[in-house]
């Protein structure tokens, strides 16, 4: 079994081993994977964090040992975007990047070294993170199918990253996330951090957002935004149009 980790800010995961193939998800810096098969330029990988599979360009990964694979789990959280240097050039670091091997101003991922001008802020699991502080920097981030960062993010990616920085691991897709947690029986009982799921005409869950209270939701639709909620679903505050049909509200934060 071969282990690897992402050595670029954001690496696309594609459906097929081709640059023109659809992006299904992304890897963030330091995210570890298992290599399942390879072509000349691409590797089919399985993400350690959420088990997602896709094809990643080989040059965006580096081989790591099993110990690194099993222990690199701290996150950059305080700043939505910070930076380090690699080979003397700046590289952006986005919130949610794994930096478990940061030491003495350096992050070593395999044979690649990243130098940080300042001590990066990492998730402290001994302290309660403020969910609003985590969510607010994502406001106005453009919607991007498969995206997981402040440069572009989809609805389930937004939810997954926010929860990751609360030290709660979620699967990648909305329908998978909907299988977790306890149902909130009435919308009026919804609290900040509860997840609202929405379905299409065929009854398939296709959208998710994070409740701010019983009447407002933050979600990625066109961009990360705050809209109104009622028992039927989301109402766009700009157009007053109903955009998503509510299926269920779940509570995953005790």
């Amino acid at each position: 079994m071969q282990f690897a980790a992402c050595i670029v800010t954001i690496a696309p995961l594609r459906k097929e081993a081709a640059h023109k193939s659809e992006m299904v998800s992304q890897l963030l810096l330091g995210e570890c994977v298992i290599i399942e098969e390879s072509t000349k330029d691409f590797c089919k990988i399985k993400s350690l964090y959420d088990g997602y599979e896709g094809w990643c360009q080989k040059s965006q990964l580096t081989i790591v040992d099993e110990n690194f694979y099993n222990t690199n789990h701290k996150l950059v959280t305080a700043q939505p975007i910070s930076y380090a240097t690699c080979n003397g050039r700046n590289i952006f670091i986005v919130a949610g990047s794994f930096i478990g091997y940061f030491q003495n101003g350096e992050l070593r991922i395999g044979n690649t070294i990243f130098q940080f001008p300042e001590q990066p802020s990492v998730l402290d699991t001994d302290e309660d993170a403020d969910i609003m502080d985590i969510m607010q920097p994502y406001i106005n981030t453009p919607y991007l199918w498969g995206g997981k960062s402040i440069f572009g993010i989809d609805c389930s990616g937004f939810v997954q990253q926010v929860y990751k920085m609360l030290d709660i691991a979620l699967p990648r897709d909305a329908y998978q996330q909907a299988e977790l947690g306890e149902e909130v029986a009435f919308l009026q009982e919804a609290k900040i951090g509860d997840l609202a799921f929405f379905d299409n005409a065929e009854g398939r869950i296709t959208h998710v957002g994070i409740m701010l209270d019983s009447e407002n939701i933050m979600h990625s639709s066109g961009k990360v935004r705050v809209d109104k909620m009622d028992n039927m679903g989301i109402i766009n505050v700009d157009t007053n149009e109903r955009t998503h049909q509510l299926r269920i509200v779940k509570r995953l934060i005790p």
Side-chain angles (χ1 to χ4, degrees):
M1 187 176 294
Q2 198 169 35
F3 306 101
C6 179
I7 54 171
V8 295
T9 304
I10 304 164
L13 280 188
R14 301 194 180 278
K15 189 174 183 179
E16 305 291 344
H19 292 292
K20 63 182 179 181
S21 180
E22 172 190 0
M23 185 176 74
V24 295
S25 190
Q26 293 176 332
L27 300 175
L28 303 184
L29 181 77
E31 192 164 348
C32 290
V33 302
I34 294 173
I35 295 176
E36 298 183 327
E37 58 181 288
S38 297
T39 67
K40 179 183 177 183
D41 297 319
F42 286 85
C43 295
K44 185 178 183 183
I45 63 88
K46 182 175 183 178
S47 167
L48 167 65
Y49 187 74
D50 58 19
Y52 220 74
E53 294 183 321
W55 290 88
C56 183
Q57 193 174 353
K58 282 183 175 179
S59 61
Q60 297 174 339
L61 301 172
T62 191
I63 300 301
V64 297
D65 60 27
E66 188 170 1
N67 182 61
F68 185 98
Y69 177 84
N70 288 326
T71 58
N72 190 43
H73 299 303
K74 291 183 179 179
L75 311 174
V76 176
T77 59
Q79 294 177 306
I81 302 174
S82 55
Y83 76 93
T85 59
C86 181
N87 298 323
R89 301 287 185 178
N90 285 353
I91 178 172
F92 288 115
I93 313 293
V94 297
S97 301
F98 290 88
I99 58 166
Y101 271 65
F102 177 83
Q103 217 171 26
N104 299 321
E106 293 183 345
L107 169 64
R108 292 177 177 265
I109 304 178
N111 293 323
T112 305
I113 300 173
F114 302 87
Q115 296 178 319
F116 287 74
E118 298 178 355
Q119 174 80 17
S121 177
V122 299
L123 177 70
D124 186 348
T125 55
D126 294 329
E127 297 182 3
D128 292 330
D130 188 307
I131 189 170
M132 282 304 300
D133 287 345
I134 294 170
M135 290 194 294
Q136 285 289 357
Y138 286 96
I139 287 286
N140 290 324
T141 294
Y143 179 89
L144 176 65
W145 176 266
K148 293 188 354 182
S149 84
I150 200 166
F151 294 121
I153 203 162
D154 63 20
C155 65
S156 57
F158 170 62
V159 169
Q160 186 191 50
Q161 293 306 301
V162 169
Y163 266 68
K164 181 198 286 186
M165 287 179 276
L166 292 171
D167 202 27
I168 300 173
L170 294 184
R172 180 65 178 86
D173 292 333
Y175 76 91
Q176 297 170 316
Q177 296 169 359
E179 297 173 359
L180 306 177
E182 299 294 327
E183 182 176 355
V184 177
F186 302 100
L187 182 65
Q188 291 72 21
E189 298 174 350
K191 299 179 180 180
I192 186 169
D194 289 346
L195 301 185
F197 297 92
F198 306 85
D199 56 16
N200 60 15
E202 290 74 41
R204 180 172 173 267
I205 290 175
T206 57
H207 191 66
V208 60
I210 301 175
M211 298 297 297
L212 302 183
D213 51 40
S214 62
E215 298 180 346
N216 297 279
I217 187 170
M218 190 179 296
H219 64 130
S220 183
S221 180
K223 61 181 180 181
V224 177
R225 53 182 294 122
V226 175
D227 282 317
K228 302 298 291 184
M229 276 282 294
D230 63 19
N231 289 321
M232 294 180 65
I234 297 176
I235 302 169
N236 184 298
V237 295
D238 297 322
T239 66
N240 208 34
E241 295 179 4
R242 187 171 301 282
T243 59
H244 298 84
Q245 175 180 294
L246 180 63
R247 171 74 167 271
I248 194 171
V249 177
K250 289 289 196 77
R251 181 163 297 157
L252 283 78
I253 302 173

